[in-house]
Amino acid sequence: MNMRIVPIPTAVAESVRSTLRSPKYGHPAHTEVAKGYGPCRHCLRYFDVGNEERILFTYDAFSDLKALPQPGPVYIHAEPCPRYEEDAGFPNHLLAHPLTLVAYGAPREHREQIAIDGTMPDLAVKRLLSRNDVAYVQVYDTEAGCFDFRIEREDSEGAGSVEEFSC
């Protein structure tokens, strides 16, 4: 089963960088030299701790998927970075830290979760996405609990319109 990796949209990253405001909420975004590894929710690369600047802002990982929002903190590079390619497969470099895969049915019913710790995630992702009652999988940093990216079936039309947002 082929999967599509869905980091935050480029339009969201560009808006946050230009306005220093979180999408939807308008909360001020905070810029600082990276004190933690990340990853950037746009390019999915780890931050160069102590050297790169990053922007912290409030983001709803379920934007347009369900009326009840679930905002949380995320980081992006302060400087523009290329968005992680949706067809590039699971970003295995992120396995340096524990991750939790959470499967959701449409629009946001929790179905199952699997913690992965330094192991190849392909079998776990395949298992979750092969379930008929699963629409998408969110990937979270197990230690910090924050959203990293979403995974969808390659042939799906998307779990929702995450390109739409307001500042």
Side-chain angles (χ1 to χ4, degrees), residues 78-143:
E79 293 296 318
C81 56
R83 186 172 188 251
Y84 189 83
E85 295 292 329
E86 290 188 359
D87 63 353
F90 195 95
N92 287 325
H93 63 279
L94 296 183
L95 294 172
H97 298 90
L99 299 172
T100 299
L101 309 176
V102 182
Y104 292 93
R108 192 173 84 191
E109 293 91 19
H110 183 275
R111 299 293 185 212
E112 184 178 355
Q113 74 183 44
I114 300 172
I116 54 175
D117 190 1
T119 59
M120 297 303 290
D122 295 336
L123 290 177
V125 171
K126 182 178 179 178
R127 181 177 124 202
L128 294 173
L129 289 179
S130 68
R131 290 180 51 162
N132 291 333
D133 64 341
V134 169
Y136 56 94
V137 174
Q138 300 270 48
V139 179
Y140 296 90
D141 179 301
T142 302
E143 295 170 345

Side-chain angles (χ1 to χ4, degrees), residues 38-94:
C40 171
R41 291 349 184 253
H42 185 251
C43 70
L44 302 182
R45 287 186 302 109
Y46 285 130
F47 294 103
D48 184 2
V49 177
N51 293 312
E52 287 183 306
E53 284 197 330
R54 63 185 184 175
I55 302 172
L56 169 67
F57 64 99
T58 304
Y59 180 72
D60 180 10
F62 293 99
S63 179
D64 300 323
L65 297 176
K66 180 96 173 162
L68 179 64
Q70 189 173 352
V74 296
Y75 289 96
I76 59 171
H77 283 104
E79 293 296 318
C81 56
R83 186 172 188 251
Y84 189 83
E85 295 292 329
E86 290 188 359
D87 63 353
F90 195 95
N92 287 325
H93 63 279
L94 296 183

